[in-house]
Amino acid sequence: MNPSDKIKIVTATIESHLCPTVVVGKSDDGGTIYARYRWGRLVIRLDPSNPPPHGGAAGAWIMDQQLDPEGLAGCISYDEIRELTSELIEWPDELTPRPRRESEATSFPEDYEA
């Protein structure tokens, strides 16, 4: 594959570090990439919609690879995803920090007792 034919991702965020590992990002043309690793299987989808339904999880499948033949693994590092997809996708060198959601606590309430 010609390097110019690769999908270029400009931002990537880990939405879930644990099982399943989920990485979501934006391509240089505004599409959403959704990578999920669960049961030893890496699935990557691409959705050109803005905003994409289901956070990109409903996009077109561009990769589906069973990495763990026993199907037990559920976690993978960003570096491993980058390496496994390097012929198809150009990921950013570093992850983009995930913005904090309003529902996430940033501190304990004043009446919290440990």
Side-chain angles (χ1 to χ4, degrees):
M1 174 179 267
N2 183 339
S4 65
D5 294 336
K6 287 184 181 182
I7 299 165
K8 182 171 175 63
I9 305 303
V10 293
T11 64
T13 304
I14 290 195
E15 293 294 315
S16 172
H17 287 277
L18 303 176
C19 183
T21 299
V22 176
V23 177
V24 177
K26 287 288 183 189
S27 64
D28 62 348
D29 64 0
T32 297
I33 193 158
Y34 178 92
R36 177 181 169 172
Y37 183 71
R38 187 171 193 175
W39 304 118
R41 182 177 179 179
L42 179 61
V43 174
I44 301 182
R45 300 171 187 155
L46 191 60
D47 195 323
S49 308
N50 194 7
H54 312 291
W61 291 43
I62 60 170
M63 182 178 185
D64 182 357
Q65 187 174 0
Q66 186 72 38
L67 302 175
D68 174 17
E70 294 180 21
L72 300 176
C75 301
I76 192 170
S77 73
Y78 177 65
D79 288 336
E80 288 175 290
I81 291 173
R82 288 181 64 210
E83 183 179 326
L84 290 164
T85 61
S86 63
E87 291 186 22
L88 178 64
I89 303 167
E90 182 181 328
W91 295 92
D93 291 335
E94 296 186 19
L95 289 163
T96 305
R98 185 172 67 85
R100 203 174 275 286
R101 296 182 181 122
E102 275 188 41
S103 62
E104 294 177 324
T106 56
S107 62
F108 289 109
E110 289 180 27
D111 61 347
Y112 176 78
E113 293 182 27

